[in-house]
Amino acid sequence: MNVPEMFGSMVFNDSIMRKMLPKSVYQSLKNTINEGKALDEDVADIVASAMKEWAVSKGATHFTHWFQPMTGITAEKHDSFLSVDKNGSVIMDFSGKELTKGEPDASSFPSGGLRATFEARGYTAWDPTSYAFIKDDTLCIPTAFCSYTGEILDKKTPLLRSMDAISREAVRALRLFGKHAKRVNATIGAEQEYFLIDKKDYEKRLDLRLTGRSLIGAPSAKGQEMEDHYFGSIRPRVKDFMKDLDQELWKLGITAKTEHNEVAPCQHEMAPIFDNANKATDSNQLTMEMMKKVAERHGFACLLHEKPFEGINGSGKHNNWALSTDEGENLLDPGKTPMENAQFLFFLTAIIKAVDEYQDLLRISVASAGNDHRLGANEAPPAIVSIFVGDELESVIEAIIEDKMISKNSLSSHLDIGTSVLPKLARDNSDRNRTSPFAFTGNKFEFRMPGSSFNIACTNVMLNTAVADALKDFSDELEGSEDFNSSLKKLIKRELKKHRRILFNGNGYSKEWEAEAERRGLSNYKRTPDALIHYCDEKNVALFERHRIYSLKEMESRLEISLDEYKKAIHIEAMTMIEMLRRQILPSAMRFCSYLASSLEVKERNGLHVNADKLLCLKLSALCDDLLAKTDELDECVSACPSEVESAAFYAADKIIVKMEEARKISDELEKMTDKSFWPIPTYSEILFYV
Ligand code: ADP
Ligand code: MG
C-alpha cells in the first residue's frame, strides 16, 4: 500500500488545483481561499470545469452541495453531471453557477421559525476554504446554508465567522508584540470515541436502532472493572475495520493517525492530526459517516451515541484547540524567551477570561439528551466548566497574582513579564488531569465535554468568539499605552486575579468539587434545558452581535431548535421503550411465567416438590404486574407533554426521564430472573463480550 499516493486521492486539493488550473485562475482562487475575496463568475466556470473533469476521471457521475444543517448531520442532494447539448447529445456538464450556489429543497430542515415552509427556500453557497471530495461516485462540494433573507441555517457559517473574528483579534493583538501575521487560525484535533458491536446484536435491539442507546438492560457480570480493555490488544476483526477505516479516511484527505481501544469493552478511539477549525469540522463529520459505513462492511454496527450502555463509560469527542499563525507559530506554545513567554501569558490570560465569562456557552455547546448521561457520570468531566493548567503553570499564575518569587531548580527567578524567563514547562502528558473538562496539555487546550455524536462546530464557535472578545478587550486597553511592558504586566495580573476561580487542578469527579464550585460561583447546569435557557442571556447575545456571529433572531431560532431536539430525543426514547416493554419484554416474561406454571402443575401432579418454581413464578408475576402498570404510566406521561417548546423540554427532563428510569429498573429485574432462552433481546454481556 502506498499511503502518500492514496492520501487525498479523492480530494480536489491544492496540488490538483495547481496542476489543473491556469495560473491566473489558480491564483485568484487562492486569493479567495486565503483572503476571502469574492470569486468572479468566469473564474468559477473554469474551476467548475476542472473539478468536473477530475471527478469524472475518478468515476464520479453526480455532484452535491454538502452542508451541515441544524440536525447535526450532513445533508446532501445529488444531481448528475448529465446534460443535453444543442445537438441533443448527452454530455457531462458542470457550470460555475452550479459550483457556487445551490438550492436544495430544504424547507424541511429545522430553522426554528426563521424560514416558514411556504417562504422562499434556503440556498447553499460554496465554501472554497474546505476542499471538494468524492464519496460514493459523487463530487461533494462543502457549502454553507442560509435563507434568502440572509439568516444562517447551518453550523458551518457561524464557525467561519468565528474563525474570522478570532483571526482579526489575534492578528491585532500580535501587533502589540511586534508581529505581523496575516491570519491566525484556530486549530482543532478532534479525538473521536465510538463503540463497535456485532451487527446481529444491533439488529435485534429496537432501542439501539431507533435511539442509539440501550434503554433497558441489566449490567453485565463483567464490565470495565478489570481495566483490561484500554490500550489492550485489538480483536482481529476490529483491527481489520480500523485498517479499512484508515484507508477510506486517507483517501478523503483525513489524517487518521491513531487508533486504539478505549476504557469500556467494545469502545475505541480514532484521532486525526489537527487542522484548521473548518477543515477539522468537515473531516470529523465525514469520519463519523465513514465509521458507520465501514462498520457495516465488517459486520459491525458503529455506535456514536454518548451513552450506549448504562454502567460503563460513554463516548466523547476531545476537542483539542490552539491558535496558529499563517507562519506556523503556535500561540499556545510557552516559548523560550522572555518576550515569547509574555506573549504566551497574554493569550493564556485571554483564554482563562473567556472560559470564565462564557462558561455557560461552553456548557450549552455540549448540551444534548445523549450527553446528559455522560457529563457528571464517573468517566466524563462534570457539568461544571473549569480549567486545568497543571501545577507548574498554576504556580506561575499564583506568583503573578501574589507578586511572589518563584523558584525552579533552586534557581530563584523573579517573574517580571517581559524581562525574565518562565520555568520550562513539562510537556509530559502522563500526569495530566483526566477529570478536567478543559485542560492545558503543553501547547493546546483539550476540551473534553463534547459528546461523541456532536458536530464540533458549535463548541468552536463559542470558544473562538469568547477568546476573540477577550483579546479585543485586551488590545483596546493596551494599544496606545505608554509603557507596554508595565501595562501588560498590570493587565495580566488583574485579569488572572479576577478569573482565578475558573482554575481547578483537583479531582473534577469529586463531590467536594461540586460544593467548592458553587462557593466560587461557577455554574453547574446538570441537564440540557437547565443550560439551554441561558443561551439568549443578554451578555451572550451582546457577545455574538459584537462579533457579527449571530443576530438575536438567529440565536432565538437556535435555542428553539435545541430545546425541541432535546424533547424529541426523549420522546422517541420513551415511545421506543414502551414498544419494547409491551411487545417484547412483557410477553416474553409472561410466557416464561406460564411455562413455569404449567411445569409446576405437572410436577405437582407427580407428587414433586415445587417450592422454587412457585416462588419464582410469584416473583416474576409480581414484576410483570409492576412493569405493565409502569409502562401505562409512562405512556400517559408522554401523552400529557405540553406543546410549548421550553415547557416540553423541562417536562421531558423532570417527568418522562424519571418514569423511564423506573420502568427500566423493573425490566432489568425481570431480565435477571428470566430464562435466557425466553429473553427476546441480546443482553449486555452478549453484546459487550461478543466473539
Ligand atoms: P491524547 O493523549 O489525548 O490522545 P495526542 O497527543 O494524541 O493526545 O493529541 C490529541 C490530538 O491533539 C490530536 O488530534 C492532535 O493532532 C491534536 N493536536 C496536537 N497539537 C495541536 C494543536 N496545536 N492544535 C490543535 N490540536 C492539536
Ligand atoms: Mg485526549
Side-chain angles (χ1 to χ4, degrees):
M1 185 193 343
N2 185 339
V3 178
E5 202 170 282
M6 174 190 283
F7 190 82
S9 57
M10 289 304 194
V11 183
F12 193 71
N13 56 22
D14 193 67
S15 69
I16 300 286
M17 286 186 224
R18 201 172 348 197
K19 223 183 278 163
M20 295 192 67
L21 297 173
K23 226 184 183 139
S24 62
V25 172
Y26 172 76
Q27 205 44 55
S28 65
L29 182 59
K30 273 305 247 194
N31 291 344
T32 301
I33 294 173
N34 295 337
E35 288 151 45
K37 290 205 175 113
L39 197 68
D40 54 79
E41 220 167 282
D42 300 349
V43 173
D45 272 333
I46 300 169
V47 176
S49 158
M51 245 188 214
K52 181 212 66 188
E53 199 180 309
W54 169 81
V56 169
S57 79
K58 298 268 177 188
T61 50
H62 288 67
F63 70 92
T64 181
H65 276 200
W66 187 77
F67 61 107
Q68 300 170 28
M70 293 303 295
T71 52
I73 53 156
T74 44
E76 39 195 77
K77 172 193 161 221
H78 297 187
D79 280 303
S80 74
F81 290 122
L82 193 137
S83 177
V84 180
D85 72 3
K86 282 189 224 91
N87 310 319
S89 325
V90 165
I91 52 163
M92 296 297 256
D93 193 31
F94 186 48
S95 69
K97 248 206 190 111
E98 286 171 305
L99 165 65
T100 50
K101 199 164 171 178
E103 273 188 74
D105 182 5
S107 49
S108 49
F109 288 107
S111 75
L114 273 185
R115 180 177 36 77
T117 39
F118 56 83
E119 270 176 24
R121 296 165 180 171
Y123 69 90
T124 49
W126 179 33
D127 163 25
T129 59
S130 187
Y131 298 134
F133 56 91
I134 296 172
K135 177 171 70 76
D136 299 332
D137 296 335
T138 301
L139 171 67
C140 299
I141 301 147
T143 55
F145 180 40
C146 354
S147 78
Y148 265 104
T149 42
E151 276 103 9
I152 46 181
L153 298 171
D154 69 344
K155 305 208 174 199
K156 184 190 267 274
T157 315
L159 178 67
L160 293 173
R161 289 182 184 171
S162 76
M163 287 171 72
D164 286 346
I166 197 156
S167 178
R168 192 169 54 238
E169 294 304 335
V171 163
R172 182 180 162 204
L174 280 172
R175 263 187 245 125
L176 295 166
F177 294 88
K179 297 209 175 133
H180 298 275
K182 283 211 199 74
R183 171 96 191 166
V184 170
N185 267 323
T187 52
I188 311 292
E191 301 165 56
Q192 177 72 48
E193 292 181 338
Y194 60 98
F195 278 83
L196 275 187
I197 63 168
D198 198 295
K199 201 171 153 200
K200 289 202 258 343
D201 292 331
Y202 174 78
E203 281 165 352
K204 288 185 200 127
R205 297 222 28 161
L206 191 67
D207 48 3
L208 290 178
R209 271 172 26 229
L210 298 193
T211 73
R213 77 177 182 104
S214 53
L215 301 168
I216 49 177
S220 161
K222 182 183 173 185
Q224 62 190 45
E225 59 282 88
M226 302 298 285
E227 294 171 347
D228 52 0
H229 194 251
Y230 189 56
F231 282 2
S233 70
I234 301 172
R235 286 182 177 101
R237 243 182 102 184
V238 174
K239 201 139 200 132
D240 287 345
F241 159 86
M242 287 177 173
K243 192 172 153 202
D244 199 0
L245 176 67
D246 278 343
Q247 291 181 14
E248 290 297 337
L249 294 178
W250 291 339
K251 282 189 222 161
L252 289 169
I254 297 169
T255 49
K257 170 98 175 144
T258 18
E259 301 264 16
H260 62 77
N261 282 354
E262 264 299 329
V263 176
C266 295
Q267 195 186 26
H268 315 282
E269 181 188 290
M270 193 289 287
I273 297 173
F274 67 96
D275 206 332
N276 77 53
N278 185 31
K279 283 195 196 147
T281 303
D282 285 357
S283 295
N284 184 249
Q285 291 295 109
L286 269 175
T287 298
M288 291 193 284
E289 188 181 328
M290 277 302 157
M291 281 179 165
K292 294 202 161 222
K293 199 179 275 172
V294 174
E296 287 258 344
R297 294 212 282 260
H298 292 261
F300 285 123
C302 171
L303 307 179
L304 291 173
H305 193 281
E306 284 72 27
K307 195 75 177 180
F309 305 101
E310 202 166 274
I312 62 171
N313 275 13
S315 302
K317 181 139 54 194
H318 292 174
N319 188 81
N320 292 274
W321 182 95
L323 292 172
S324 176
T325 68
D326 51 344
E327 276 140 18
E329 181 186 356
N330 179 354
L331 302 178
L332 299 195
D333 196 323
K336 291 188 198 73
T337 65
M339 207 53 199
E340 283 170 353
N341 287 174
Q343 182 191 302
F344 165 71
L345 286 171
F346 172 87
F347 281 96
L348 178 73
T349 306
I351 294 166
I352 291 172
K353 170 180 157 79
V355 173
D356 185 26
E357 286 180 350
Y358 296 101
Q359 43 180 291
D360 50 349
L361 284 180
L362 287 175
R363 169 67 184 94
I364 286 164
S365 78
V366 298
S368 80
N371 217 18
D372 279 0
H373 295 284
R374 187 177 154 261
L375 296 182
N378 238 346
E379 83 280 4
I384 309 160
V385 176
S386 67
I387 302 180
F388 167 82
V389 290
D391 291 339
E392 283 167 307
L393 205 47
E394 174 110 331
S395 60
V396 171
I397 290 172
E398 290 286 304
I400 295 173
I401 294 175
E402 312 288 347
D403 267 331
K404 269 195 315 225
M405 312 276 280
I406 50 168
S407 65
K408 177 83 184 164
N409 301 338
S410 77
L411 271 175
S412 203
S413 71
H414 185 63
L415 192 92
D416 186 1
I417 301 154
T419 58
S420 151
V421 188
L422 273 181
K424 207 170 159 353
L425 299 175
R427 277 262 194 97
D428 185 8
N429 281 343
S430 60
D431 68 345
R432 66 191 189 198
N433 187 335
R434 292 235 157 241
T435 67
S436 173
F438 200 91
F440 185 65
T441 50
N443 61 355
K444 60 181 163 48
F445 275 99
E446 184 172 345
F447 184 42
R448 303 191 177 118
M449 288 169 98
S452 45
S453 68
F454 277 57
N455 180 323
I456 51 170
C458 187
T459 274
N460 290 303
V461 168
M462 308 296 196
L463 249 177
N464 294 344
T465 313
V467 175
D469 198 57
L471 291 172
K472 177 180 180 301
D473 279 356
F474 289 4
S475 295
D476 285 348
E477 180 174 332
L478 293 176
E479 276 170 0
S481 76
E482 273 167 26
D483 180 350
F484 174 67
N485 271 349
S486 75
S487 306
L488 175 68
K489 193 177 159 191
K490 222 165 68 200
L491 177 143
I492 288 179
K493 180 178 166 179
R494 184 194 69 219
E495 293 296 321
L496 287 176
K497 199 166 171 182
K498 193 163 152 200
H499 299 291
R500 188 189 212 167
R501 63 170 190 166
I502 198 79
L503 301 177
F504 178 63
N505 277 356
N507 178 7
Y509 298 169
S510 69
K511 273 274 154 242
E512 295 77 46
W513 169 231
E514 230 182 301
E516 165 70 13
E518 194 178 341
R519 267 194 299 279
R520 295 189 190 185
L522 301 177
S523 52
N524 184 6
Y525 303 129
K526 296 214 163 139
R527 305 164 315 168
T528 294
D530 303 329
L532 286 179
I533 51 166
H534 291 283
Y535 185 53
C536 291
D537 283 358
E538 218 173 295
K539 74 170 179 53
N540 297 338
V541 175
L543 172 79
F544 286 126
E545 286 189 335
R546 197 154 53 240
H547 295 276
R548 282 180 237 107
I549 312 290
Y550 297 121
S551 65
L552 172 62
K553 211 165 136 196
E554 285 165 341
M555 288 181 74
E556 283 169 347
S557 85
R558 260 147 226 262
L559 172 59
E560 190 182 316
I561 291 170
S562 306
L563 285 166
D564 190 48
E565 194 177 80
Y566 172 80
K567 176 224 129 184
K568 278 182 182 150
I570 294 189
H571 204 267
I572 292 169
E573 286 188 352
M575 296 313 285
T576 306
M577 189 172 197
I578 291 168
E579 180 169 346
M580 287 173 79
L581 296 177
R582 284 198 180 137
R583 305 190 57 204
Q584 291 188 292
I585 305 304
L586 277 165
S588 306
M590 277 149 61
R591 220 175 295 135
F592 181 47
C593 272
S594 47
Y595 167 82
L596 282 175
S598 45
S599 77
L600 187 149
E601 207 187 336
V602 176
K603 279 187 183 173
E604 229 167 17
R605 236 188 289 133
N606 290 294
L608 292 168
H609 182 70
V610 289
N611 207 18
D613 312 56
K614 239 183 209 156
L615 274 178
L616 188 54
C617 201
L618 281 171
K619 267 193 191 167
L620 284 167
S621 302
L623 283 171
C624 285
D625 288 350
D626 290 352
L627 187 57
L628 182 64
K630 198 50 84 183
T631 309
D632 290 344
E633 271 178 42
L634 175 60
D635 198 355
E636 277 160 32
C637 181
V638 174
S639 311
C641 186
S643 57
E644 189 275 320
V645 67
E646 188 180 314
S647 334
F650 276 102
Y651 182 89
D654 294 335
K655 301 276 189 318
I656 303 179
I657 289 184
V658 179
K659 284 267 174 286
M660 283 172 67
E661 276 164 7
E662 289 167 2
R664 176 181 189 142
K665 252 200 203 118
I666 309 171
S667 173
D668 292 355
E669 273 313 303
L670 268 176
E671 181 191 317
K672 287 187 227 160
M673 285 194 277
T674 303
D675 180 334
K676 199 168 144 70
S677 62
F678 281 82
W679 198 249
I681 54 174
T683 59
Y684 271 24
S685 50
E686 287 160 346
I687 299 173
L688 294 171
F689 297 92
Y690 66 85
V691 280

